[in-house]
Short mmCIF file of all heavy atoms in Angstrom, two decimals:
data_model
loop_
_atom_site.label_atom_id
_atom_site.label_comp_id
_atom_site.label_asym_id
_atom_site.label_seq_id
_atom_site.Cartn_x
_atom_site.Cartn_y
_atom_site.Cartn_z
N MET U 1 0.82 -1.19 0.00
CA MET U 1 0.00 0.00 0.00
C MET U 1 0.87 1.27 0.00
O MET U 1 0.53 2.26 -0.63
CB MET U 1 -0.91 -0.04 1.24
CG MET U 1 -2.00 0.95 1.22
SD MET U 1 -3.15 0.55 -0.10
CE MET U 1 -4.35 1.79 0.16
N GLU U 2 1.97 1.20 0.72
CA GLU U 2 2.87 2.36 0.79
C GLU U 2 3.46 2.68 -0.59
O GLU U 2 3.59 3.83 -0.97
CB GLU U 2 3.98 2.06 1.81
CG GLU U 2 4.91 3.23 2.04
CD GLU U 2 4.24 4.40 2.75
OE1 GLU U 2 3.27 4.19 3.50
OE2 GLU U 2 4.69 5.53 2.51
N MET U 3 3.81 1.62 -1.31
CA MET U 3 4.38 1.82 -2.65
C MET U 3 3.36 2.45 -3.58
O MET U 3 3.70 3.34 -4.38
CB MET U 3 4.84 0.48 -3.23
CG MET U 3 5.66 0.62 -4.49
SD MET U 3 6.44 -0.92 -4.91
CE MET U 3 5.46 -1.36 -6.31
N LEU U 4 2.10 2.06 -3.47
CA LEU U 4 1.04 2.65 -4.29
C LEU U 4 0.87 4.13 -3.96
O LEU U 4 0.72 4.96 -4.88
CB LEU U 4 -0.27 1.89 -4.06
CG LEU U 4 -1.46 2.32 -4.92
CD1 LEU U 4 -1.14 2.09 -6.38
CD2 LEU U 4 -2.70 1.56 -4.51
N ASN U 5 0.94 4.48 -2.68
CA ASN U 5 0.85 5.88 -2.27
C ASN U 5 2.02 6.70 -2.82
O ASN U 5 1.84 7.84 -3.25
CB ASN U 5 0.80 5.99 -0.75
CG ASN U 5 -0.55 5.61 -0.19
OD1 ASN U 5 -1.55 5.63 -0.91
ND2 ASN U 5 -0.57 5.26 1.08
N GLU U 6 3.21 6.13 -2.80
CA GLU U 6 4.38 6.83 -3.33
C GLU U 6 4.26 7.05 -4.84
O GLU U 6 4.62 8.11 -5.36
CB GLU U 6 5.65 6.05 -3.01
CG GLU U 6 6.04 6.09 -1.55
CD GLU U 6 7.28 5.26 -1.26
OE1 GLU U 6 8.00 4.91 -2.22
OE2 GLU U 6 7.51 4.97 -0.08
N ILE U 7 3.76 6.05 -5.55
CA ILE U 7 3.58 6.17 -7.01
C ILE U 7 2.54 7.24 -7.32
O ILE U 7 2.77 8.08 -8.20
CB ILE U 7 3.19 4.81 -7.62
CG1 ILE U 7 4.37 3.84 -7.55
CG2 ILE U 7 2.74 4.98 -9.07
CD1 ILE U 7 4.04 2.43 -7.95
N MET U 8 1.43 7.22 -6.59
CA MET U 8 0.39 8.23 -6.82
C MET U 8 0.91 9.63 -6.50
O MET U 8 0.64 10.59 -7.23
CB MET U 8 -0.84 7.92 -5.95
CG MET U 8 -1.53 6.63 -6.28
SD MET U 8 -2.65 6.78 -7.65
CE MET U 8 -3.93 7.72 -6.90
N ASP U 9 1.68 9.75 -5.41
CA ASP U 9 2.25 11.04 -5.04
C ASP U 9 3.22 11.54 -6.12
O ASP U 9 3.20 12.71 -6.49
CB ASP U 9 2.96 10.91 -3.70
CG ASP U 9 3.45 12.24 -3.18
OD1 ASP U 9 2.64 13.20 -3.20
OD2 ASP U 9 4.62 12.33 -2.76
N ALA U 10 4.04 10.65 -6.65
CA ALA U 10 4.99 11.01 -7.70
C ALA U 10 4.25 11.43 -8.98
O ALA U 10 4.66 12.40 -9.66
CB ALA U 10 5.93 9.86 -7.99
N MET U 11 3.16 10.75 -9.29
CA MET U 11 2.38 11.11 -10.49
C MET U 11 1.75 12.49 -10.32
O MET U 11 1.76 13.31 -11.26
CB MET U 11 1.29 10.07 -10.74
CG MET U 11 1.82 8.77 -11.28
SD MET U 11 0.60 7.44 -11.41
CE MET U 11 -0.82 8.21 -12.04
N ILE U 12 1.22 12.78 -9.14
CA ILE U 12 0.60 14.09 -8.90
C ILE U 12 1.64 15.19 -8.95
O ILE U 12 1.43 16.23 -9.57
CB ILE U 12 -0.15 14.07 -7.55
CG1 ILE U 12 -1.38 13.17 -7.66
CG2 ILE U 12 -0.56 15.48 -7.14
CD1 ILE U 12 -2.05 12.89 -6.34
N ARG U 13 2.80 14.95 -8.31
CA ARG U 13 3.86 15.97 -8.34
C ARG U 13 4.36 16.20 -9.76
O ARG U 13 4.57 17.34 -10.17
CB ARG U 13 5.02 15.53 -7.45
CG ARG U 13 4.73 15.68 -5.99
CD ARG U 13 5.92 15.22 -5.18
NE ARG U 13 5.56 15.13 -3.79
CZ ARG U 13 6.21 15.77 -2.84
NH1 ARG U 13 7.25 16.51 -3.14
NH2 ARG U 13 5.82 15.64 -1.58
N GLY U 14 4.54 15.15 -10.53
CA GLY U 14 4.99 15.28 -11.91
C GLY U 14 3.99 16.04 -12.76
O GLY U 14 4.36 16.87 -13.59
N SER U 15 2.70 15.76 -12.54
CA SER U 15 1.67 16.46 -13.30
C SER U 15 1.65 17.95 -12.98
O SER U 15 1.54 18.79 -13.87
CB SER U 15 0.29 15.87 -13.00
OG SER U 15 0.23 14.54 -13.41
N LEU U 16 1.77 18.27 -11.69
CA LEU U 16 1.78 19.68 -11.29
C LEU U 16 3.01 20.40 -11.82
O LEU U 16 2.92 21.53 -12.31
CB LEU U 16 1.70 19.81 -9.77
CG LEU U 16 0.35 19.49 -9.14
CD1 LEU U 16 0.46 19.52 -7.63
CD2 LEU U 16 -0.70 20.46 -9.63
N ILE U 17 4.16 19.75 -11.76
CA ILE U 17 5.38 20.36 -12.29
C ILE U 17 5.25 20.60 -13.79
O ILE U 17 5.58 21.67 -14.31
CB ILE U 17 6.61 19.49 -11.97
CG1 ILE U 17 6.92 19.57 -10.48
CG2 ILE U 17 7.82 19.93 -12.79
CD1 ILE U 17 7.99 18.59 -10.01
N GLY U 18 4.72 19.63 -14.52
CA GLY U 18 4.52 19.79 -15.96
C GLY U 18 3.53 20.88 -16.28
O GLY U 18 3.73 21.67 -17.21
N PHE U 19 2.46 20.96 -15.51
CA PHE U 19 1.43 21.97 -15.72
C PHE U 19 2.00 23.37 -15.53
O PHE U 19 1.83 24.25 -16.37
CB PHE U 19 0.28 21.70 -14.73
CG PHE U 19 -0.86 22.65 -14.84
CD1 PHE U 19 -1.74 22.58 -15.90
CD2 PHE U 19 -1.07 23.61 -13.86
CE1 PHE U 19 -2.81 23.46 -15.99
CE2 PHE U 19 -2.13 24.48 -13.95
CZ PHE U 19 -3.00 24.41 -15.02
N PHE U 20 2.70 23.58 -14.41
CA PHE U 20 3.24 24.91 -14.14
C PHE U 20 4.42 25.24 -15.05
O PHE U 20 4.61 26.40 -15.42
CB PHE U 20 3.63 25.05 -12.67
CG PHE U 20 2.43 25.14 -11.78
CD1 PHE U 20 2.19 24.17 -10.82
CD2 PHE U 20 1.53 26.19 -11.91
CE1 PHE U 20 1.07 24.25 -10.01
CE2 PHE U 20 0.41 26.26 -11.10
CZ PHE U 20 0.18 25.30 -10.15
N ALA U 21 5.20 24.24 -15.44
CA ALA U 21 6.30 24.49 -16.37
C ALA U 21 5.76 24.91 -17.74
O ALA U 21 6.35 25.77 -18.40
CB ALA U 21 7.17 23.24 -16.50
N SER U 22 4.65 24.33 -18.16
CA SER U 22 4.09 24.72 -19.46
C SER U 22 3.57 26.16 -19.41
O SER U 22 3.75 26.92 -20.36
CB SER U 22 2.99 23.76 -19.89
OG SER U 22 1.89 23.82 -19.00
N PHE U 23 2.92 26.55 -18.31
CA PHE U 23 2.49 27.94 -18.17
C PHE U 23 3.67 28.89 -18.13
O PHE U 23 3.65 29.97 -18.72
CB PHE U 23 1.63 28.13 -16.93
CG PHE U 23 0.17 27.88 -17.18
CD1 PHE U 23 -0.47 26.83 -16.56
CD2 PHE U 23 -0.55 28.69 -18.05
CE1 PHE U 23 -1.82 26.59 -16.80
CE2 PHE U 23 -1.89 28.46 -18.28
CZ PHE U 23 -2.52 27.41 -17.66
N TRP U 24 4.73 28.50 -17.43
CA TRP U 24 5.92 29.34 -17.37
C TRP U 24 6.53 29.50 -18.77
O TRP U 24 6.93 30.60 -19.15
CB TRP U 24 6.94 28.68 -16.43
CG TRP U 24 8.20 29.44 -16.29
CD1 TRP U 24 8.43 30.53 -15.51
CD2 TRP U 24 9.42 29.18 -16.99
NE1 TRP U 24 9.72 30.94 -15.67
CE2 TRP U 24 10.36 30.14 -16.57
CE3 TRP U 24 9.80 28.22 -17.92
CZ2 TRP U 24 11.65 30.17 -17.05
CZ3 TRP U 24 11.10 28.25 -18.40
CH2 TRP U 24 12.01 29.22 -17.97
N LEU U 25 6.59 28.42 -19.53
CA LEU U 25 7.15 28.47 -20.88
C LEU U 25 6.30 29.35 -21.80
O LEU U 25 6.84 30.14 -22.58
CB LEU U 25 7.27 27.06 -21.44
CG LEU U 25 7.98 26.92 -22.78
CD1 LEU U 25 9.42 27.38 -22.65
CD2 LEU U 25 7.94 25.48 -23.23
N MET U 26 4.96 29.23 -21.69
CA MET U 26 4.09 30.08 -22.52
C MET U 26 4.26 31.55 -22.15
O MET U 26 4.25 32.42 -23.02
CB MET U 26 2.63 29.65 -22.36
CG MET U 26 2.30 28.38 -23.09
SD MET U 26 0.55 27.99 -23.09
CE MET U 26 0.38 27.25 -21.49
N GLY U 27 4.42 31.85 -20.87
CA GLY U 27 4.66 33.22 -20.44
C GLY U 27 5.97 33.74 -20.97
O GLY U 27 6.07 34.89 -21.41
N LEU U 28 7.00 32.91 -20.94
CA LEU U 28 8.30 33.30 -21.46
C LEU U 28 8.24 33.60 -22.95
O LEU U 28 8.80 34.60 -23.43
CB LEU U 28 9.32 32.20 -21.17
CG LEU U 28 10.77 32.50 -21.46
CD1 LEU U 28 11.26 33.62 -20.54
CD2 LEU U 28 11.61 31.26 -21.26
N VAL U 29 7.53 32.77 -23.70
CA VAL U 29 7.37 32.98 -25.14
C VAL U 29 6.61 34.28 -25.39
O VAL U 29 6.97 35.07 -26.28
CB VAL U 29 6.66 31.77 -25.79
CG1 VAL U 29 6.19 32.10 -27.20
CG2 VAL U 29 7.57 30.57 -25.80
N ALA U 30 5.57 34.55 -24.61
CA ALA U 30 4.79 35.78 -24.79
C ALA U 30 5.64 37.01 -24.53
O ALA U 30 5.56 38.00 -25.27
CB ALA U 30 3.57 35.76 -23.86
N VAL U 31 6.47 36.97 -23.49
CA VAL U 31 7.34 38.11 -23.19
C VAL U 31 8.34 38.33 -24.31
O VAL U 31 8.58 39.47 -24.74
CB VAL U 31 8.05 37.90 -21.83
CG1 VAL U 31 9.15 38.91 -21.62
CG2 VAL U 31 7.04 38.00 -20.70
N TRP U 32 8.94 37.26 -24.82
CA TRP U 32 9.91 37.41 -25.90
C TRP U 32 9.25 37.93 -27.18
O TRP U 32 9.84 38.74 -27.90
CB TRP U 32 10.63 36.09 -26.18
CG TRP U 32 11.85 35.97 -25.31
CD1 TRP U 32 11.99 35.20 -24.20
CD2 TRP U 32 13.08 36.68 -25.47
NE1 TRP U 32 13.22 35.39 -23.67
CE2 TRP U 32 13.93 36.28 -24.42
CE3 TRP U 32 13.55 37.61 -26.39
CZ2 TRP U 32 15.21 36.79 -24.28
CZ3 TRP U 32 14.83 38.11 -26.24
CH2 TRP U 32 15.64 37.70 -25.20
N ARG U 33 8.03 37.44 -27.48
CA ARG U 33 7.34 37.95 -28.68
C ARG U 33 7.07 39.45 -28.53
O ARG U 33 7.22 40.21 -29.48
CB ARG U 33 6.04 37.20 -28.90
CG ARG U 33 6.29 35.80 -29.44
CD ARG U 33 5.02 35.16 -29.88
NE ARG U 33 4.46 35.91 -30.99
CZ ARG U 33 3.25 35.74 -31.48
NH1 ARG U 33 2.46 34.84 -30.96
NH2 ARG U 33 2.82 36.45 -32.49
N TRP U 34 6.65 39.87 -27.33
CA TRP U 34 6.39 41.29 -27.09
C TRP U 34 7.68 42.08 -27.24
O TRP U 34 7.71 43.12 -27.90
CB TRP U 34 5.81 41.48 -25.69
CG TRP U 34 5.76 42.92 -25.30
CD1 TRP U 34 4.82 43.83 -25.65
CD2 TRP U 34 6.72 43.62 -24.50
NE1 TRP U 34 5.13 45.05 -25.11
CE2 TRP U 34 6.29 44.95 -24.41
CE3 TRP U 34 7.89 43.24 -23.86
CZ2 TRP U 34 7.01 45.89 -23.68
CZ3 TRP U 34 8.61 44.18 -23.16
CH2 TRP U 34 8.16 45.49 -23.07
N PHE U 35 8.77 41.59 -26.65
CA PHE U 35 10.04 42.29 -26.70
C PHE U 35 10.55 42.41 -28.12
O PHE U 35 11.01 43.49 -28.54
CB PHE U 35 11.08 41.56 -25.83
CG PHE U 35 12.43 42.20 -25.85
CD1 PHE U 35 12.65 43.40 -25.21
CD2 PHE U 35 13.49 41.60 -26.52
CE1 PHE U 35 13.91 44.00 -25.23
CE2 PHE U 35 14.73 42.18 -26.56
CZ PHE U 35 14.95 43.39 -25.90
N LEU U 36 10.47 41.35 -28.92
CA LEU U 36 10.93 41.42 -30.30
C LEU U 36 10.04 42.34 -31.14
O LEU U 36 10.54 43.02 -32.05
CB LEU U 36 10.97 40.02 -30.91
CG LEU U 36 12.04 39.10 -30.31
CD1 LEU U 36 11.93 37.71 -30.91
CD2 LEU U 36 13.43 39.66 -30.54
N GLY U 37 8.74 42.41 -30.82
CA GLY U 37 7.87 43.35 -31.51
C GLY U 37 8.25 44.79 -31.21
O GLY U 37 8.23 45.66 -32.10
N VAL U 38 8.60 45.07 -29.95
CA VAL U 38 9.04 46.42 -29.58
C VAL U 38 10.34 46.77 -30.30
O VAL U 38 10.49 47.89 -30.82
CB VAL U 38 9.22 46.53 -28.04
CG1 VAL U 38 9.92 47.81 -27.66
CG2 VAL U 38 7.86 46.45 -27.35
N VAL U 39 11.27 45.83 -30.36
CA VAL U 39 12.53 46.07 -31.07
C VAL U 39 12.28 46.33 -32.55
O VAL U 39 12.86 47.24 -33.14
CB VAL U 39 13.50 44.88 -30.87
CG1 VAL U 39 14.70 44.98 -31.80
CG2 VAL U 39 13.94 44.80 -29.43
N LYS U 40 11.38 45.57 -33.15
CA LYS U 40 11.06 45.75 -34.57
C LYS U 40 10.46 47.13 -34.82
O LYS U 40 10.86 47.83 -35.75
CB LYS U 40 10.09 44.66 -35.01
CG LYS U 40 9.73 44.73 -36.46
CD LYS U 40 8.75 43.62 -36.81
CE LYS U 40 8.25 43.75 -38.22
NZ LYS U 40 7.24 42.74 -38.54
N ARG U 41 9.51 47.55 -33.95
CA ARG U 41 8.92 48.88 -34.12
C ARG U 41 9.95 49.98 -33.93
O ARG U 41 9.94 50.99 -34.63
CB ARG U 41 7.76 49.07 -33.15
CG ARG U 41 6.49 48.38 -33.64
CD ARG U 41 5.35 48.64 -32.72
NE ARG U 41 5.57 47.78 -31.55
CZ ARG U 41 4.93 47.88 -30.41
NH1 ARG U 41 4.03 48.82 -30.24
NH2 ARG U 41 5.17 47.06 -29.43
N PHE U 42 10.89 49.78 -32.98
CA PHE U 42 11.94 50.77 -32.76
C PHE U 42 12.84 50.87 -33.99
O PHE U 42 13.21 51.98 -34.40
CB PHE U 42 12.76 50.40 -31.52
CG PHE U 42 13.91 51.33 -31.27
CD1 PHE U 42 13.69 52.62 -30.82
CD2 PHE U 42 15.21 50.91 -31.50
CE1 PHE U 42 14.75 53.47 -30.59
CE2 PHE U 42 16.27 51.76 -31.28
CZ PHE U 42 16.05 53.05 -30.82
N LEU U 43 13.18 49.72 -34.58
CA LEU U 43 14.02 49.76 -35.78
C LEU U 43 13.30 50.41 -36.95
O LEU U 43 13.91 51.14 -37.74
CB LEU U 43 14.48 48.35 -36.15
CG LEU U 43 15.52 47.74 -35.22
CD1 LEU U 43 15.80 46.29 -35.62
CD2 LEU U 43 16.81 48.54 -35.25
N HIS U 44 12.00 50.17 -37.07
CA HIS U 44 11.22 50.83 -38.12
C HIS U 44 11.21 52.34 -37.90
O HIS U 44 11.29 53.10 -38.86
CB HIS U 44 9.78 50.31 -38.13
CG HIS U 44 9.62 49.00 -38.82
ND1 HIS U 44 9.10 48.88 -40.07
CD2 HIS U 44 9.93 47.74 -38.44
CE1 HIS U 44 9.09 47.62 -40.43
NE2 HIS U 44 9.59 46.90 -39.45
N TRP U 45 11.11 52.75 -36.66
CA TRP U 45 11.11 54.18 -36.35
C TRP U 45 12.48 54.79 -36.56
O TRP U 45 12.61 55.89 -37.06
CB TRP U 45 10.68 54.37 -34.88
CG TRP U 45 10.79 55.77 -34.41
CD1 TRP U 45 9.94 56.80 -34.67
CD2 TRP U 45 11.84 56.31 -33.60
NE1 TRP U 45 10.39 57.94 -34.06
CE2 TRP U 45 11.56 57.67 -33.39
CE3 TRP U 45 12.98 55.76 -33.02
CZ2 TRP U 45 12.39 58.49 -32.64
CZ3 TRP U 45 13.81 56.57 -32.27
CH2 TRP U 45 13.50 57.93 -32.09
N LEU U 46 13.53 54.04 -36.21
CA LEU U 46 14.89 54.55 -36.29
C LEU U 46 15.37 54.66 -37.74
O LEU U 46 15.98 55.67 -38.11
CB LEU U 46 15.84 53.63 -35.50
CG LEU U 46 17.27 54.08 -35.30
CD1 LEU U 46 17.31 55.35 -34.47
CD2 LEU U 46 18.06 52.97 -34.61
N CYS U 47 15.09 53.67 -38.55
CA CYS U 47 15.58 53.62 -39.93
C CYS U 47 14.43 53.28 -40.87
O CYS U 47 14.35 52.15 -41.37
CB CYS U 47 16.69 52.59 -40.07
SG CYS U 47 18.03 52.80 -38.92
N PRO U 48 13.55 54.22 -41.16
CA PRO U 48 12.39 53.88 -42.01
C PRO U 48 12.77 53.54 -43.44
O PRO U 48 12.04 52.82 -44.11
CB PRO U 48 11.53 55.13 -41.94
CG PRO U 48 12.41 56.21 -41.49
CD PRO U 48 13.53 55.58 -40.71
N LYS U 49 13.91 54.04 -43.94
CA LYS U 49 14.27 53.75 -45.34
C LYS U 49 14.66 52.29 -45.54
O LYS U 49 14.61 51.78 -46.63
CB LYS U 49 15.40 54.67 -45.81
CG LYS U 49 16.71 54.45 -45.13
CD LYS U 49 17.77 55.39 -45.69
CE LYS U 49 19.10 55.11 -45.01
NZ LYS U 49 20.16 55.94 -45.54
N TRP U 50 15.06 51.58 -44.47
CA TRP U 50 15.40 50.16 -44.58
C TRP U 50 14.16 49.30 -44.71
O TRP U 50 14.23 48.18 -45.19
CB TRP U 50 16.17 49.70 -43.36
CG TRP U 50 17.55 50.23 -43.25
CD1 TRP U 50 18.22 50.99 -44.14
CD2 TRP U 50 18.43 50.05 -42.14
NE1 TRP U 50 19.47 51.30 -43.67
CE2 TRP U 50 19.63 50.74 -42.45
CE3 TRP U 50 18.33 49.38 -40.94
CZ2 TRP U 50 20.71 50.76 -41.57
CZ3 TRP U 50 19.41 49.41 -40.08
CH2 TRP U 50 20.59 50.09 -40.40
N PHE U 51 13.02 49.81 -44.26
CA PHE U 51 11.81 49.00 -44.19
C PHE U 51 10.70 49.57 -45.07
O PHE U 51 9.59 49.77 -44.63
CB PHE U 51 11.32 48.92 -42.74
CG PHE U 51 12.33 48.33 -41.81
CD1 PHE U 51 13.11 49.14 -41.02
CD2 PHE U 51 12.50 46.97 -41.74
CE1 PHE U 51 14.04 48.60 -40.15
CE2 PHE U 51 13.42 46.41 -40.87
CZ PHE U 51 14.20 47.23 -40.08
N LYS U 52 11.03 49.86 -46.32
CA LYS U 52 10.02 50.39 -47.22
C LYS U 52 9.02 49.30 -47.58
O LYS U 52 9.42 48.15 -47.84
CB LYS U 52 10.68 50.93 -48.50
CG LYS U 52 11.49 52.18 -48.27
CD LYS U 52 12.05 52.70 -49.57
CE LYS U 52 12.87 53.95 -49.31
NZ LYS U 52 13.51 54.44 -50.51
N PRO U 53 7.74 49.62 -47.61
CA PRO U 53 6.77 48.59 -48.00
C PRO U 53 6.92 48.21 -49.46
O PRO U 53 7.31 49.04 -50.30
CB PRO U 53 5.42 49.25 -47.74
CG PRO U 53 5.69 50.70 -47.66
CD PRO U 53 7.13 50.87 -47.26
N LYS U 54 6.62 46.97 -49.79
CA LYS U 54 6.73 46.51 -51.16
C LYS U 54 5.61 47.10 -51.99
O LYS U 54 4.50 47.27 -51.54
CB LYS U 54 6.62 44.98 -51.21
CG LYS U 54 7.76 44.28 -50.57
CD LYS U 54 7.59 42.78 -50.70
CE LYS U 54 8.74 42.05 -50.06
NZ LYS U 54 8.57 40.61 -50.16
N THR U 55 5.94 47.41 -53.26
CA THR U 55 4.94 47.93 -54.17
C THR U 55 4.26 46.76 -54.87
O THR U 55 4.75 45.64 -54.85
CB THR U 55 5.57 48.86 -55.21
OG1 THR U 55 6.52 48.12 -55.96
CG2 THR U 55 6.26 50.04 -54.54
N GLU U 56 3.14 47.03 -55.50
CA GLU U 56 2.41 45.98 -56.20
C GLU U 56 3.20 45.45 -57.39
O GLU U 56 3.12 44.29 -57.72
CB GLU U 56 1.04 46.49 -56.65
CG GLU U 56 0.09 46.75 -55.52
CD GLU U 56 -1.25 47.21 -56.02
OE1 GLU U 56 -1.54 47.04 -57.21
OE2 GLU U 56 -2.01 47.77 -55.21
N GLU U 57 3.98 46.31 -58.06
CA GLU U 57 4.77 45.88 -59.20
C GLU U 57 5.85 44.88 -58.78
O GLU U 57 6.12 43.93 -59.49
CB GLU U 57 5.41 47.08 -59.88
CG GLU U 57 4.41 48.02 -60.53
CD GLU U 57 5.10 49.24 -61.12
OE1 GLU U 57 6.33 49.31 -61.10
OE2 GLU U 57 4.37 50.14 -61.58
N ALA U 58 6.43 45.09 -57.62
CA ALA U 58 7.46 44.18 -57.14
C ALA U 58 6.86 42.83 -56.80
O ALA U 58 7.51 41.80 -56.93
CB ALA U 58 8.17 44.76 -55.92
N ASP U 59 5.61 42.82 -56.34
CA ASP U 59 4.94 41.56 -56.00
C ASP U 59 4.61 40.74 -57.25
O ASP U 59 4.57 39.53 -57.19
CB ASP U 59 3.65 41.82 -55.21
CG ASP U 59 3.94 42.35 -53.82
OD1 ASP U 59 5.07 42.13 -53.32
OD2 ASP U 59 3.06 42.99 -53.25
N LYS U 60 4.36 41.39 -58.39
CA LYS U 60 3.98 40.68 -59.60
C LYS U 60 5.17 39.96 -60.23
O LYS U 60 5.01 38.98 -60.92
CB LYS U 60 3.38 41.66 -60.62
CG LYS U 60 2.01 42.15 -60.19
CD LYS U 60 1.45 43.12 -61.22
CE LYS U 60 0.11 43.68 -60.77
NZ LYS U 60 -0.40 44.67 -61.71
N ASN U 61 6.38 40.46 -60.01
CA ASN U 61 7.59 39.87 -60.63
C ASN U 61 8.01 38.64 -59.94
O ASN U 61 7.94 38.07 -59.10
CB ASN U 61 8.74 40.86 -60.65
CG ASN U 61 8.43 42.01 -61.60
OD1 ASN U 61 7.67 41.85 -62.52
ND2 ASN U 61 9.06 43.14 -61.35
#
């Protein structure tokens, strides 16, 4: 019976660790996406000539 309790306890702990680790990873990805978006907007503001929008003629070629 003790071994069964230990196995159940290990399964619950593993599930909780996996659950919270996945939330932590999603939060980390969200922060990095936000940060890279801010950097991209700053670069567009800093050097607008590098980021000219494509014209329709360039898309047809």
